[in-house]
Amino acid sequence: MSDLSFDTARHHVLGLGCERGTSPAEVLALAIEALDVAGIGAAELAAIASIDSRRLEPAILAVAAHFSVPGVFFDALRLEQETPRLANPSAIVFARVGCHGVAEAAALAAAGPDAELAVAKIKSAHATAAVVRSGLQKA
């Protein structure tokens, strides 16, 4: 688990994946759509999570800045550990980056072992997004 701080307001993580050079507008629109599908507002978001190869990707950084939350990044080996919890594992993604998913896996890795998918992976033309709820939400 990352060193994120969750509280009663901020208990969701938005996982993002994108092709290099994807426009920030496309990724932000997908992020907003994912939050809408989850039925949550920006004030409930604790972080943006992705694969470490996107640590400097302008679109990912723009979304984190838009929501004023930190970005957290994981290597492919760490993301691959989340494969049993993925709703949409992909052999294509594994062939490209070395793990079976980025958006879902990164959000789950950031939120910890008691986290659950609130929104499974959704896609735009060049990006993916998923929303995870931290274990704090469970009764």
Side-chain angles (χ1 to χ4, degrees), residues 19-122:
E19 296 175 15
R20 289 193 192 281
T22 302
S23 77
E26 179 181 340
V27 180
L28 180 58
L30 184 63
I32 291 169
E33 178 184 346
L35 296 182
D36 286 346
V37 171
I40 65 169
E44 296 174 74
L45 197 58
I48 303 297
S50 192
I51 193 165
D52 62 356
S53 63
R54 297 299 181 265
R55 181 179 305 277
L56 299 177
E57 189 65 33
I60 303 286
L61 298 176
V63 173
H66 175 84
F67 292 116
S68 299
V69 295
V72 294
F73 301 90
F74 301 92
D75 64 30
L77 290 175
R78 175 63 187 94
L79 296 184
E80 183 61 12
Q81 293 172 359
E82 297 297 337
T83 300
R85 299 201 299 159
L86 302 183
N88 298 287
S90 170
I92 293 170
V93 173
F94 182 80
R96 289 182 181 163
V97 299
C99 58
H100 281 87
V102 172
E104 290 178 351
L108 286 164
D114 294 328
E116 57 190 28
L117 283 169
V119 176
K121 177 176 70 176
I122 61 173

